[in-house]
Each structure stands twice: as C-alpha cells, then as structure tokens.
Amino acid sequence: MTPTAPSSRSPFPRRGLLAAGALAAPLALAGCVAGENAGADPAGSGGSDGGGSWSTATLTIDFATYNPLSLVVRDQQLIEKALGDGVEVTWVQSAGSNKANELLRSGSADVASTAGSAALLARANGSPIKVIDIYSQPEWSALVVRGDSDVTGPADLAGRPVAATPGTDPYFFLVQALAEAGLEVKDVEVQALQHADGRSALDGGSVDAWSGLDPIMGAAEVESGDVLVYRNVDFNTYGFLNATEQFITEHADVAQVVVDAYEQARTWALENLEGTASLLAEVAGIAPEVATTVITERSNLDVSGVPGDDQTAVLERISPVLADSGDVAGGADAVAAALSSIVHADFAEAAAAAAGSGK
C-alpha cells in the first residue's frame, strides 16, 4: 500500500458521531447513564444491589489510555454498581499490550485489554486467554520521526535505530511497514522500549524513528513537533478485551457483567465524544486538543463488540508475520491453533441481544 501522509481526516465511517447534540452532553451526566441497566445478571447468581452471591469475591481488571472504553467503565463505576458489595473490584493500569499480557499470564488480572496481534501472540505462546469483547478498531500506530528528520518512509530506516515495544501492535506495525519497503526487522536496529520511553528516545535523538502508540503519539505531534511519516490503518489490529480461560469458565456471571459494562460505556462514549476526550486527557495527562484528535480521528469505537470473522480476518493477515518473527516457539502451527481458538463471543453476543431487546 502506498504510504500516506498525515491527515486530519478520519479513515473511519461514522454515524454522525460529531453531531452537535452528541458533543454537547457533558461528562457530568455520566452518573445518570451509569445507573441504567447496571447489574445485568444472566447467570442469576447476583444482583446490582449486592444482595445476591457471585461466583467470585474479587475481580481484577485493567484500564489503559489506549482503551478509551476502559476509562469510561472505570470512571462511571459501571462494574462496581452492577456487582454491588459482593465483589471487590481492583483496577490496574496497563502501559501497553505486552504489560496487559503479563498481567493475564501471571494471574495478576482476570481481564485485560490488548491489541489483537498481541493477544494472538500471547495465546500462540501458551497464555490461556481469549477475546471476550472488542473495544475499538483504531488507527493507533504509525511510524514517527522528528520534525527535522530526513526519513520520508520505511525504506529510509535501513541500518537506523528504531524504537518499538515488542509484543504490541506498534511493533507489528513496524514489521509490516518494513516489509512493504522490502526490508526485515533485522535490517534496522530495534531498540526495545516501552511506548513512552520510545517517544523520549526519539525526542532525545537516540533513535531515528519510533513506532508509536496513541495517545502518546498524538502528544508527540503537538508537544514536540514530531511527524507521523508513515500511516497505514490496515496494519493496525482491533482492540481486544481478553480474559483468562479459568475466569471465563469459573466466573461467567462476572465476565458477563464486565462485557455488559463495556457495551454501556460504548453507547455513552459515542454519544459523548467530548466527555470521552476529556476523560482521556485527564487520565493520560495530555492536552485536551490531543485527546480530541485521538478520540474523534484515530479511535473508532463505533464497531460491534462481538468478536468474530472481522477480527479473525485481520489476524489471518498478521499470522505469517507472527509465525516468521521467531517470537512464537511453535511457529506457524502454534499461530494457527491460537487463531482457531482465541474467540469467545458468548458474553458479547448476550450483551448485544440484551441491548437490542431494550433490556
């Protein structure tokens, strides 16, 4: 695909999301929305008033600035209101998909958010996780350079130092971008840095490019004058909300509450883009205009939360990259097995059905 210049236009179709009515609703109204339909309990084992008993007394779930819906769910306490006093909810922050995968693999989190590519990589390497909801279809990765750089595209990176976070969408974005230019990862000097450290390395001059992640990437544009030198929305995978297989099997009632909360958050976010951007700005510590760009132009929240064919199609395209990367011990066979078993759509289907029936 031909490299595209940075653009202020969103690549995603939207159903009038920027209408004045949608933008006018203030964040202060969040509490009104949060109480509606809270506590859906398809398993019949608990209730939003805390009077029932759930299958677990604890839930540990992540929030991340690359997952705007997690910020809404956390801020509005949608899960806490649904579970009542019967379950202690602990929130942990993920700095990147690799960190979210570490939380899931170690048992430090029951539910955590990653990019689709990172989830597939983790499952292919034996982590027992499955995707239970889709939170976005973003353009959250791009190749970033300093404003005075002579790099005009991936082909110019041969032999140069590039910052990227292994096991994340930006890393696999870099791999695909290099391949588009006839290069491999071994043709550049990859510096394995967490996303925020990658930006610092770029601005400090120790790398010539950074495979960035929003909202850090958006802040780099505004604050440092950095440039998104190569963008390709097709090289970004979906936002996956993942749970461990043990949690899915043993605590389906609470997993359903989590997915229901995400669908409530999606509805609110789409109707309150300004409020969502304000929340992102607050949590990420970025300027409001940066957060607005990330939410309105590079985060597509208006997608079905039900994981299925659309996501597996994207992962099928990335599968050869994973298999050839050397990052999966079992190679192509392990990737194929992970792809065929990573989706668990039951909770999202139930949430969609409930929304459709007005429950």
Side-chain angles (χ1 to χ4, degrees):
M1 180 174 291
T2 303
T4 56
S7 168
S8 62
R9 298 182 61 189
S10 169
F12 304 114
R14 300 179 184 275
R15 300 196 297 261
L17 297 184
L18 299 182
L23 289 174
L27 187 61
L29 295 179
C32 297
V33 178
E36 296 173 1
N37 294 329
D41 181 25
S45 57
S48 59
D49 61 359
S53 61
W54 299 92
S55 63
T56 179
T58 62
L59 167 67
T60 303
I61 184 169
D62 84 335
F63 68 99
T65 56
Y66 54 84
N67 176 0
L69 294 188
S70 72
L71 307 183
V72 176
V73 172
R74 177 172 172 262
D75 182 67
Q76 297 185 11
Q77 296 187 315
L78 298 180
I79 294 173
E80 290 87 341
K81 290 175 181 179
L83 294 175
D85 296 332
V87 179
E88 180 182 357
V89 179
T90 300
W91 289 91
V92 292
Q93 184 168 9
S94 293
S97 292
N98 60 324
K99 297 300 184 183
N101 276 328
E102 288 176 11
L103 290 171
L104 290 167
R105 181 184 287 275
S106 67
S108 300
D110 304 304
V111 181
S113 42
T114 71
S117 59
L120 182 62
L121 173 64
R123 185 164 179 85
N125 277 323
S127 182
I129 63 169
K130 292 193 174 188
V131 53
I132 59 173
D133 195 62
I134 301 300
Y135 60 81
S136 68
Q137 184 190 14
E139 186 194 10
W140 53 17
S141 301
L143 292 184
V144 188
V145 299
R146 292 182 296 278
D148 60 356
S149 175
D150 61 350
V151 174
T152 61
D156 296 333
L157 295 178
R160 299 197 186 198
V162 181
T165 309
T168 69
D169 237 26
Y171 178 82
F172 294 113
F173 184 96
L174 172 64
V175 173
Q176 294 175 92
L178 291 172
E180 193 82 353
L183 299 174
E184 299 180 15
V185 171
K186 65 182 181 181
D187 295 320
V188 302
E189 180 190 331
V190 175
Q191 292 196 12
L193 298 171
Q194 201 61 43
H195 303 297
D197 296 329
R199 178 196 170 181
S200 298
L202 176 66
D203 291 344
S206 60
V207 297
D208 292 333
W210 164 50
S211 196
L213 178 73
D214 270 331
I216 303 169
M217 186 168 69
E221 289 182 275
V222 172
E223 297 169 359
S224 304
D226 294 338
V227 176
L228 309 190
V229 72
Y230 181 82
R231 296 171 65 175
N232 188 330
V233 66
D234 292 335
F235 288 173
N236 295 260
T237 58
Y238 286 80
F240 278 30
L241 185 69
N242 309 303
T244 62
E245 290 183 349
Q246 180 178 2
F247 183 74
I248 291 170
T249 301
E250 298 181 2
H251 309 301
D253 55 340
V254 177
Q256 186 67 62
V257 169
V258 170
V259 174
D260 289 347
Y262 259 79
E263 292 314 306
Q264 287 179 252
R266 190 192 314 276
T267 297
W268 187 89
L270 291 174
E271 294 174 352
N272 298 274
L273 293 182
E274 277 190 347
T276 305
S278 295
L279 186 57
L280 175 61
E282 177 185 351
V283 177
I286 57 178
E289 60 268 28
V290 174
T292 297
T293 296
V294 171
I295 293 298
T296 62
E297 298 177 15
R298 301 207 287 253
S299 296
N300 181 16
L301 306 177
D302 194 13
V303 294
S304 170
V306 180
D309 292 344
D310 288 345
Q311 288 72 43
T312 55
V314 171
L315 294 182
E316 283 174 355
R317 188 173 66 245
I318 197 77
S319 290
V321 176
L322 292 180
D324 295 340
S325 67
D327 295 326
V328 178
D333 289 343
V335 173
L339 181 59
S340 68
S341 59
I342 196 170
V343 171
H344 186 96
D346 293 3
F347 304 124
E349 288 173 348
S357 65
K359 294 182 180 179

